Amino acid sequence: MTSESDPTSGDMPQGLPWRVKLVVAALLVLAVGVVVVSNRWLSERFVDSTRNRAEVRLALYTGNLVSELQRTSVVPLLLARDPALIEALKAGDFSKTSGKLISLQSEIGVAAIRLMDVNGRVVGATNRNLLGTSHRNDSFFVDAQRAKETTLFTAARRDTGGFDFSYSRAVVADGRVLGVIVVSVDLMKYERAWAGLQDAVLVTDSEGTVILATEPAWRGKSLAEALAARDAPSALERAFQATADWAQAPPDAYVRGEAVMRTDARVPFRGWRIYTFTAYDSVREKVNGILALEIMGFAIVMALTFYLLSRRAWSRSISLQRESAELRILNARLQREIAEREKVQKDLEVAEQTLAQSSKLAALGEMSAAVSHELNQPLAAMKTYLAGARLLLLRRRPDEALSSFQRIDDLIERMGAITRQLKSYARKGGEAFEPVDLRACISSALSMMEPQLKARVVKITRALPRHPVMVMADRIRLEQVIINLLRNALDATKGVKAPQIDLLLAEGETATLSVRDNGHGIDELDNLFEPFYTTKKPGEGVGLGLAISSGIVSDLGGRLTARNSETGGAVFEMQLPILGKEQQAAE
């Protein structure tokens, strides 16, 4: 055993170096590929996520701007119709005007309100320092006087930079302009709110001029000039500090040479547009963090690989020493298993023989019950015909007695046919199918049931088509189904004062025979067609009639169903495929 292990242990150190190199090279290639693919996929995914968040913020900014503009646009209309302001302009008494405007400002929540007379002089203002100043030549005053019944929006550029946004409307009374009311819109508060964010935000008017921006130097410039500006303050540097590593995502725009993500949207107000610029810092931080974890994981895997490769043959000698003992134990265990398997095989053969015998006994019991059930009807009819023939002979009417004997002979023939067809219940196929008129089968079944029907005095109604209704079936088995349905209907009407059974044959896509009674109906429809299920008293039935009938109809390619009628009683429907004219001609 020791001599066998020496060559193996001597070969392994010789083959170890090139195997280690191969494994290490494969791990390195796998690591580089995973890192490259992960970097690209993660960058695209996080860029899309950042862009989606930026678009959501952009929609929020746009909604805030439009809401503020719409809310303020209604104020000049209300103030221009204020009776106190109109009366002050008419009388020239403005002692209470500023106080009223200040109270209205606190209630409405606008930036500022100014009231000017017809000469453009401020006669009332929320900022009392503006009283007496003249705006005779300002556009918001001149345009408001010209427009009269229209509220005008004006974005006026300040001398110190930025823009003043205001709504102005002429105060008109008796068709005469008395003055102008001006309401300022404080959009600068949104600049102050945006300045604390990581994104840079700006708004341009319909001419492309920047009117709002987180960077004050951008105001009044075009979008291209603003983005090309070099004097970047600290706030802008915080927003647009882009990383310059090898995996930078494709930029949308450049600000001072720095790559940024750009999103824009239309502001539904005078052709304005809003832009946001987002740096890629957060994207790279997330991607680099995940890549660092991947690289660390590959480093751990490589370390484990070196350890496993160096200890690859650590149990080789011990395994060789235990091999002979394990083989002996395995041989003994195998012999025991062979003996146990032979015993199980013999038990299985005995069980198979027992099961085959049980199956034969079950089949024999089912055949006996079926024969007993199916031969009960012809025997009852023969008993009735024999009694009738005896009476006819006593009354010296031999011709009529011969007719009864002929019917008895037909019943004997039918009993033979039933025994022959019951032999086929245990196997499928072999039936002699032929074109059969369903009307003739109904008439034959009624003829078979005539003694029972007369004894009970049951009213039978038939609704049959005048033309043949041809189906492909075994005539004897089909009559057997109809007789079973008639007998069930007859039994169901035992407790009814005026028993009635309706037979309805309809021809459509299928030939449908409905057997309806006016009995008490069926309580359990789900178990109706199961073998040995019956609601009759012991000795009156074994519960095989409907089960056998359902099997016969299924063999004929049809379907047998049952339901309770709305007017009371049960309805059995047998549906069979109709034999077409071409098929009838071929048959």
Side-chain angles (χ1 to χ4, degrees), residues 318-365:
I318 298 176
S319 299
L320 291 175
Q321 292 174 2
R322 296 177 179 176
E323 182 177 357
S324 59
E326 292 179 354
L327 287 176
R328 287 194 298 270
I329 295 173
L330 182 62
N331 186 24
R333 185 183 302 172
L334 183 61
Q335 290 178 356
R336 289 195 300 270
E337 290 182 356
I338 292 174
E340 292 177 356
R341 182 164 297 182
E342 290 177 352
K343 183 177 180 301
V344 170
Q345 188 70 24
K346 292 180 181 179
D347 294 341
L348 181 62
E349 291 178 357
V350 174
E352 288 178 352
Q353 293 176 359
T354 304
L355 181 61
Q357 185 65 23
S358 299
S359 299
K360 291 178 181 179
L361 292 175
L364 182 59

Side-chain angles (χ1 to χ4, degrees), residues 230-449:
R230 293 289 179 178
D231 51 344
S234 59
L236 188 62
E237 289 176 354
R238 288 197 305 272
F240 298 139
Q241 186 70 37
T243 56
D245 59 358
W246 57 275
Q248 178 64 54
D252 296 332
Y254 289 90
V255 178
R256 304 186 325 275
E258 300 290 345
V260 294
M261 182 188 303
R262 166 180 166 176
T263 54
D264 63 284
R266 184 181 67 88
V267 179
F269 182 80
R270 295 180 174 270
W272 289 9
R273 295 195 70 83
I274 185 170
Y275 299 84
T276 62
F277 300 93
T278 307
Y280 287 98
D281 290 349
S282 60
V283 174
R284 289 313 320 157
E285 289 176 0
K286 295 178 182 178
V287 174
N288 290 339
I290 297 177
L291 293 182
L293 292 177
E294 289 183 352
I295 294 173
M296 185 182 299
F298 276 109
I300 295 173
V301 171
M302 292 184 67
L304 291 175
T305 303
F306 279 116
Y307 174 77
L308 294 176
L309 288 176
S310 62
R311 297 293 302 273
R312 190 165 57 94
W314 64 277
S315 62
R316 182 64 176 174
S317 59
I318 298 176
S319 299
L320 291 175
Q321 292 174 2
R322 296 177 179 176
E323 182 177 357
S324 59
E326 292 179 354
L327 287 176
R328 287 194 298 270
I329 295 173
L330 182 62
N331 186 24
R333 185 183 302 172
L334 183 61
Q335 290 178 356
R336 289 195 300 270
E337 290 182 356
I338 292 174
E340 292 177 356
R341 182 164 297 182
E342 290 177 352
K343 183 177 180 301
V344 170
Q345 188 70 24
K346 292 180 181 179
D347 294 341
L348 181 62
E349 291 178 357
V350 174
E352 288 178 352
Q353 293 176 359
T354 304
L355 181 61
Q357 185 65 23
S358 299
S359 299
K360 291 178 181 179
L361 292 175
L364 182 59
E366 184 177 355
M367 181 69 71
S368 300
V371 169
S372 175
H373 176 79
E374 295 300 328
L375 294 182
N376 187 37
Q377 296 173 2
L379 287 175
M382 288 172 61
K383 184 177 180 180
T384 302
Y385 286 135
L386 284 174
R390 183 183 296 110
L391 292 175
L392 292 173
L393 289 175
L394 292 175
R395 296 176 182 178
R396 300 183 182 277
R397 294 160 63 183
D399 295 337
E400 296 181 8
L402 289 176
S403 176
S404 298
F405 289 140
Q406 181 62 42
R407 291 187 178 182
I408 294 173
D409 184 67
D410 293 340
L411 289 175
I412 294 173
E413 178 64 25
R414 178 165 183 77
M415 291 173 63
I418 290 175
T419 56
R420 287 194 300 272
Q421 72 185 39
L422 288 178
K423 292 178 183 179
S424 67
Y425 285 167
R427 63 182 185 275
K428 294 184 178 180
E431 295 87 352
F433 284 8
E434 59 182 356
V436 176
D437 186 359
L438 199 53
R439 301 181 308 165
C441 294
I442 296 173
S443 300
S444 179
L446 288 173
S447 177
M448 282 284 297
M449 293 293 297

Side-chain angles (χ1 to χ4, degrees), residues 433-438 469-474 478 505-513 552-560 574-581 583-584:
F433 284 8
E434 59 182 356
V436 176
D437 186 359
L438 199 53
V469 180
M470 305 300 295
V471 296
M472 182 66 71
D474 183 350
L478 186 56
L505 178 60
E507 183 180 10
E509 296 182 356
T510 60
T512 303
L513 173 62
I552 293 174
V553 175
S554 298
D555 292 342
L556 299 179
R559 185 177 63 172
L560 180 62
M574 179 180 64
Q575 298 178 354
L576 294 174
I578 291 181
L579 188 64
K581 295 182 179 179
Q583 294 177 331
Q584 295 181 27

Side-chain angles (χ1 to χ4, degrees), residues 93-148:
D93 181 9
F94 306 106
S95 57
K96 299 180 180 179
T97 303
S98 296
K100 180 176 179 60
L101 294 180
I102 292 172
S103 63
L104 290 174
Q105 178 192 16
S106 61
E107 294 177 2
I108 300 174
V110 295
I113 306 175
R114 288 172 290 173
L115 177 63
M116 290 168 281
D117 59 11
V118 72
N119 296 319
R121 184 173 61 90
V122 178
V123 294
T126 54
N127 184 2
R128 297 181 184 274
N129 296 326
L130 300 178
L131 293 175
T133 57
S134 177
H135 298 279
R136 183 182 184 86
N137 297 323
D138 289 340
S139 59
F140 60 82
F141 177 77
V142 176
D143 294 340
Q145 281 190 325
R146 292 175 179 173
K148 288 186 179 182

Side-chain angles (χ1 to χ4, degrees), residues 453-522:
L453 295 175
K454 288 183 177 180
R456 286 284 313 280
V457 190
V458 179
K459 180 181 179 181
I460 304 294
T461 61
R462 289 184 290 179
L464 307 179
R466 294 184 178 180
H467 56 275
V469 180
M470 305 300 295
V471 296
M472 182 66 71
D474 183 350
R475 183 188 181 96
I476 295 178
R477 301 184 71 190
L478 186 56
E479 291 179 2
Q480 177 183 346
V481 173
I482 300 173
I483 290 173
N484 284 336
L485 297 180
L486 287 172
R487 184 170 183 181
N488 283 335
L490 191 63
D491 293 338
T493 57
K494 282 185 177 181
V496 180
K497 294 182 178 180
Q500 180 176 344
I501 300 175
D502 300 329
L503 298 176
L504 174 63
L505 178 60
E507 183 180 10
E509 296 182 356
T510 60
T512 303
L513 173 62
S514 300
V515 179
R516 179 183 303 170
D517 60 67
N518 59 346
H520 301 291
I522 304 171

